[in-house]
Amino acid sequence: LVVGPYFYVYYNEFPTGGSKRLSVARALVTDVLQAAGSGTVTPWKKYNSGAWTQDGFTGVGSNIIPEAATNGNYDLHSDAAYNTALNKYMLTVQTHNDGQLLLYLSDDGVNWGSRTVVDETSANNFIQAYSTFVGFTGATDDSREVGNDFYIIYPRKDWPNNYNYDELYRRHVTIGVTTITPTLSLSANPTSITSGSASTLSWSSTNTISCTASGGWSGTKAISGTQSVSPTVTTTYTLSCTGTGGTVTQSATITVST
């Protein structure tokens, strides 16, 4: 995963005398590429207790998945990517004998929450290791970033009966935007008057942020209100109100008799 100027690598940590942890280490992208170009390596730092201070070889990383602290089946033979539609990082976690493939979200690549079950088997002898994100819409060539339409591809492996047996699955994920439709009502009372008399326009809107009058009246109006008018000829009053979900227009006609 690329987070700012860093590569983040997620891995299973097995500290001496302790239980397995799901952890993360990082190194500068420029340092990694420079070292790779010269056939050498660069130091990595593991995240531990709020700081990137632990050596990549000899240090110990903190657990970054809350549930993994009490469930040793959680495992990071998985994938991570940045979602441009959500503006969040994504990480898959498989659970061995629990039979689930999980999707976590994060704002910073370290603190993970919003757990979603991607796949679940009724027979717990299947595991979903080695999942990967594959994007087509708004994705980078290597799918380190994906957009609002992507796949999670993963095998179901017959564990532990026949580890070489795989069934390949894919989960299609589409991220949509909820549209809040604006509404508007506009009426005149009375709708028929004699010349020189008055009528009251009343209007009310929801899910709107601005309203504009046209026809027999003009200017910016409140999103709800009343206004007295005294047309001398038959006149149509139109009001258009706009919100995040679009624009809605209504009209009211006052008939004038002499």
Side-chain angles (χ1 to χ4, degrees):
L1 190 65
V2 176
V3 181
Y6 294 95
F7 278 130
Y8 279 30
V9 173
Y10 300 91
Y11 65 96
N12 296 320
E13 177 81 85
F14 293 89
T16 302
S19 57
K20 183 176 75 172
R21 304 173 182 179
L22 309 189
S23 302
V24 59
R26 77 178 187 183
L28 285 168
V29 173
T30 53
D31 290 348
V32 174
L33 296 180
Q34 184 178 2
S38 60
T40 60
V41 296
T42 190
W44 290 69
K45 292 293 185 180
K46 294 179 178 180
Y47 180 83
N48 186 290
S49 301
W52 302 88
T53 55
Q54 294 290 308
D55 182 81
F57 279 113
T58 61
V60 176
S62 290
N63 179 63
I64 60 170
I65 302 296
E67 292 84 355
T70 56
N71 190 334
N73 286 332
Y74 278 52
D75 185 88
L76 277 177
H77 286 87
S78 55
D79 195 18
Y82 180 72
N83 189 287
T84 57
L86 295 174
N87 292 321
K88 292 183 181 293
Y89 300 99
M90 305 185 297
L91 177 69
T92 51
V93 175
Q94 64 106 357
T95 61
H96 277 291
N97 294 341
D98 288 349
Q100 290 183 325
L101 178 64
L102 305 174
L103 174 66
Y104 285 85
L105 300 179
S106 172
D107 292 320
D108 58 9
V110 174
N111 299 287
W112 296 90
S114 301
R115 187 184 77 164
T116 300
V117 177
V118 176
D119 183 57
E120 184 170 19
T121 62
S122 57
N124 291 339
N125 57 299
F126 282 93
I127 65 173
Q128 302 99 328
Y130 317 119
S131 57
T132 187
F133 294 100
V134 177
F136 299 98
T137 303
T140 55
D141 291 343
D142 56 3
S143 288
R144 70 178 184 276
E145 293 184 1
V146 297
N148 64 351
D149 187 58
F150 63 93
Y151 290 92
I152 301 174
I153 298 176
Y154 56 94
R156 284 183 179 177
K157 301 182 73 68
D158 188 1
W159 167 270
N161 300 319
N162 183 4
Y163 189 77
N164 292 324
Y165 176 83
D166 291 74
E167 295 177 351
L168 191 62
Y169 287 79
R170 68 179 184 181
R171 180 72 70 185
H172 188 194
V173 181
T174 302
I175 300 170
V177 178
T178 300
T179 299
I180 302 176
T181 303
T183 66
L184 171 64
S185 63
L186 172 65
S187 62
N189 185 29
T191 57
S192 297
I193 62 172
T194 59
S195 180
S197 299
S199 177
T200 299
L201 296 172
S202 301
W203 69 95
S204 176
S205 66
T206 62
N207 304 321
T208 60
I209 55 177
S210 65
C211 295
T212 303
S214 60
W217 58 343
S218 62
T220 301
K221 304 298 180 183
I223 59 175
S224 296
T226 61
Q227 182 173 326
S228 178
V229 293
S230 299
T232 57
V233 296
T234 298
T235 304
T236 298
Y237 297 85
T238 300
L239 186 66
S240 297
C241 295
T242 300
T244 57
T247 300
V248 60
T249 300
Q250 292 289 339
S251 295
T253 299
I254 300 175
T255 303
V256 179
S257 60
T258 58

